[in-house]
Amino acid sequence: MSTEETGVASDLHNNGGPEIVHSEKPQSLDEKYYSIDDEALGFMQTQTGIEDPDELKKHIVSIQAEAYAIYPYPCIRRFAFLSLKLGRLPAYQELIALGKSRKDAVLLDIGCCFGNDLRKAVSDGYPIENCIASDLHPEYWTLGHKLFKSTQESFPVPFIPGDVFDPKHIETVPPFYSPPDIPLPELSTLTSLNPLRGHVSAIHASAFFHLFDEEKQLKIAKTLAGLLSPEPGSMILGEHSGLPEKGLRQETPGAVVHYGRVFPMFCHGPASWKEMWDGQVFKKGTVKVDVVLTVRKDQGALSGIDAGRTYNRLTWSVTRL
């Protein structure tokens, strides 16, 4: 998992994240936070084969409990995995069109959790043979098969576990401005993402960047840029917490919350996010950066307190020209 939303794993300290001080216990699960809209309901019914909404809820809640026992991420507590993030991004239709029109258009979902977003893309026509997933925690990918009642044979997307800061998993290299010399490998043979340098047509990274400070966000951006194909139209897209102008969020919700403890969260604003990609990560003028700041309401599951307070989200895409 990308340690989605505002959940922070204890091992993030070793992986370049903030140092965490544990409290006694995580917040308990509460079914009152279960919420699924019509689109997500239809998707889950189709994917799982469970038509009855009550039975589907029981199934989802049982998987939620298993996942929360592995690590108590707030995104799992508040059922954020039902939100179909990728499918609701403004650049999603461009992504699907890219997958249908470009030969061997590899789509990487980094911080994939249960694989919901890749399954959505595949259901909308993205070629499954060109999809690959990666996450720090392989247990969540296994639970994804249980959630969707699939197997590695029925949903044969390769999964590569690893830490984005580990060069054995993804080494940071400069972006490619011409096609790579090494041909695209068979995705099923990969044990790291390094052989994909310069070959990935699209990368989805939602609820991920905001877990790290400004320096490490730049590091991640450069690392992902080194995987991206130089072909025009290749893209990186996602969403995460933001601010009108870059800085630290101290308030709750909006800081990194772990076991009820609050830690400052660095957030980019639209201008700084655009400047990072167009000039610091890629040569200036070689990418188009679309970014929008939106305001959302916390229902209380995010922070455990102050339900109804608002927070900001950056929704974005970076497309090669």
Side-chain angles (χ1 to χ4, degrees):
M1 189 176 193
S2 66
T3 51
E4 252 192 88
E5 289 297 333
T6 52
V8 180
S10 59
D11 57 1
L12 273 179
H13 177 49
N14 296 324
N15 297 339
E19 183 175 359
I20 299 301
V21 178
H22 287 270
S23 295
E24 293 181 0
K25 62 180 181 179
Q27 295 171 305
S28 60
L29 294 176
D30 192 330
E31 287 187 25
K32 74 180 182 181
Y33 297 123
Y34 180 83
S35 178
I36 186 167
D37 62 24
D38 290 344
E39 181 184 3
L41 175 61
F43 175 75
M44 293 301 297
Q45 288 172 324
T46 300
Q47 293 288 310
T48 63
I50 303 174
E51 292 292 333
D52 182 78
D54 292 332
E55 290 301 314
L56 180 60
K57 178 180 178 180
K58 290 179 184 177
H59 176 63
I60 292 171
V61 168
S62 71
I63 299 298
Q64 179 210 30
E66 289 190 57
Y68 204 65
I70 294 170
Y71 201 83
Y73 294 107
C75 64
I76 297 219
R77 182 174 183 261
R78 67 188 187 91
F79 297 95
F81 54 89
L82 298 176
S83 63
L84 303 179
K85 290 184 181 68
L86 175 58
R88 295 173 180 181
L89 296 178
Y92 181 65
Q93 293 305 322
E94 295 174 36
L95 169 72
I96 297 300
L98 180 65
K100 292 179 178 180
S101 64
R102 180 183 294 182
K103 184 177 184 296
D104 298 326
V106 175
L107 167 59
L108 167 65
D109 188 8
I110 192 155
C112 62
C113 190
F114 300 137
N116 303 48
D117 290 306
L118 276 183
R119 291 171 188 269
K120 172 62 175 170
V122 168
S123 74
D124 288 337
Y126 207 100
I128 192 171
E129 65 271 17
N130 294 335
C131 294
I132 188 166
S134 184
D135 199 288
L136 184 64
H137 299 291
E139 302 94 332
Y140 288 112
W141 186 254
T142 301
L143 276 178
H145 282 304
K146 190 171 182 178
L147 173 63
F148 290 99
K149 296 184 176 292
S150 63
T151 65
Q152 193 60 40
E153 289 68 39
S154 64
F155 188 72
V157 170
F159 172 80
I160 312 296
D163 172 9
V164 71
F165 294 106
D166 181 0
K168 293 180 181 179
H169 179 54
I170 321 176
E171 184 178 4
T172 303
V173 299
F176 285 75
Y177 293 94
S178 60
D181 296 330
I182 300 174
L184 175 68
E186 287 288 336
L187 299 186
S188 61
T189 67
L190 295 177
T191 57
S192 82
L193 298 178
N194 281 323
L196 292 179
R197 295 171 191 152
H199 285 296
V200 181
S201 292
I203 302 172
H204 174 232
S206 282
F208 185 61
F209 279 90
H210 64 200
L211 295 169
F212 306 97
D213 64 25
E214 183 174 12
E215 179 182 356
K216 291 182 175 65
Q217 289 192 32
L218 177 60
K219 169 73 172 175
I220 294 169
K222 289 181 175 180
T223 299
L224 297 183
L227 296 176
L228 198 64
S229 166
E231 291 188 63
S234 300
M235 65 174 66
I236 307 174
L237 70 168
E239 70 162 18
H240 55 258
S241 294
L243 287 171
E245 295 183 5
K246 75 173 184 178
L248 292 177
R249 296 189 66 176
Q250 302 282 353
E251 79 281 9
T252 303
V256 178
V257 180
H258 177 76
Y259 283 10
R261 299 289 298 278
V262 180
F263 300 86
M265 172 190 285
F266 173 80
C267 292
H268 271 285
S272 63
W273 189 248
K274 184 174 183 177
E275 290 167 1
M276 182 186 76
W277 288 102
D278 187 16
Q280 297 183 57
V281 175
F282 293 98
K283 294 178 183 177
K284 192 166 183 60
T286 62
V287 292
K288 179 183 70 168
V289 183
D290 293 310
V291 55
V292 176
L293 187 73
T294 58
V295 179
R296 301 186 186 177
K297 183 178 292 187
D298 176 29
Q299 301 302 319
L302 179 61
S303 62
I305 58 174
D306 293 337
R309 290 187 63 176
T310 58
Y311 62 101
N312 297 292
R313 303 288 288 181
L314 283 180
T315 301
W316 54 274
S317 62
V318 180
T319 307
R320 301 205 69 160
L321 300 174

